[in-house]
Amino acid sequence: MIGFAAGMEMADMAWEVKCREEDMKQRALENERHAIDDARRAVDEKAEQLKVLANQSALFAGFSMVVLVESTIASGINLALLTVFGGVTA
C-alpha cells in the first residue's frame, strides 16, 4: 500500500510539473502578444501624430501663400527687409 501511495504522489508531482510547464509556455505567448500590441499601439500613435503635423504644415503653408499673394509691397522698401520677408513667407 505504501508503494501505491508513493507512486500516486510521484504521478501527482509529474502532473503538476507538466501543468507548470504548459502555464509558463502560455504566459510566454501572452507576453509576446502584449509586446506586439504595445508596438502596434505605439506605431498607430506616431502615425496619428504625423497626420496632425502634416495638416498643420499644410495650414501654415496656405496662410503663408495668402500673405505672400495678398500683401502689397511699397516701392521704396529696404531690399534686406524684402529678402527677410520672402524668406519667412517661403
Side-chain angles (χ1 to χ4, degrees), residues 66-86:
V66 168
V67 167
L68 185 62
V69 170
E70 295 294 326
S71 62
T72 56
I73 300 172
S75 60
I77 194 167
N78 187 357
L79 188 59
L81 185 61
L82 184 60
T83 305
V84 170
F85 175 72

Side-chain angles (χ1 to χ4, degrees), residues 13-90:
M13 287 176 62
W15 177 257
E16 288 177 8
V17 168
K18 181 183 174 198
C19 289
R20 177 76 174 150
E21 289 173 354
E22 289 177 3
D23 185 47
M24 293 303 290
K25 288 179 186 177
Q26 185 65 31
R27 286 184 185 196
L29 285 174
E30 287 176 6
N31 287 341
E32 288 179 27
R33 285 185 195 127
H34 286 299
I36 291 170
D37 288 343
D38 290 344
R40 283 183 185 155
R41 205 171 299 119
V43 167
D44 289 343
E45 183 178 334
K46 293 296 181 185
E48 187 64 31
Q49 289 174 353
L50 284 173
K51 284 180 188 177
V52 168
L53 185 62
N55 288 337
Q56 286 179 344
S57 297
L59 186 65
F60 289 149
F63 283 136
S64 295
M65 288 300 295
V66 168
V67 167
L68 185 62
V69 170
E70 295 294 326
S71 62
T72 56
I73 300 172
S75 60
I77 194 167
N78 187 357
L79 188 59
L81 185 61
L82 184 60
T83 305
V84 170
F85 175 72
V88 169
T89 56

Side-chain angles (χ1 to χ4, degrees), residues 1-17:
M1 192 71 171
I2 293 175
F4 179 73
M8 288 297 290
E9 189 173 322
M10 286 184 63
D12 285 342
M13 287 176 62
W15 177 257
E16 288 177 8
V17 168

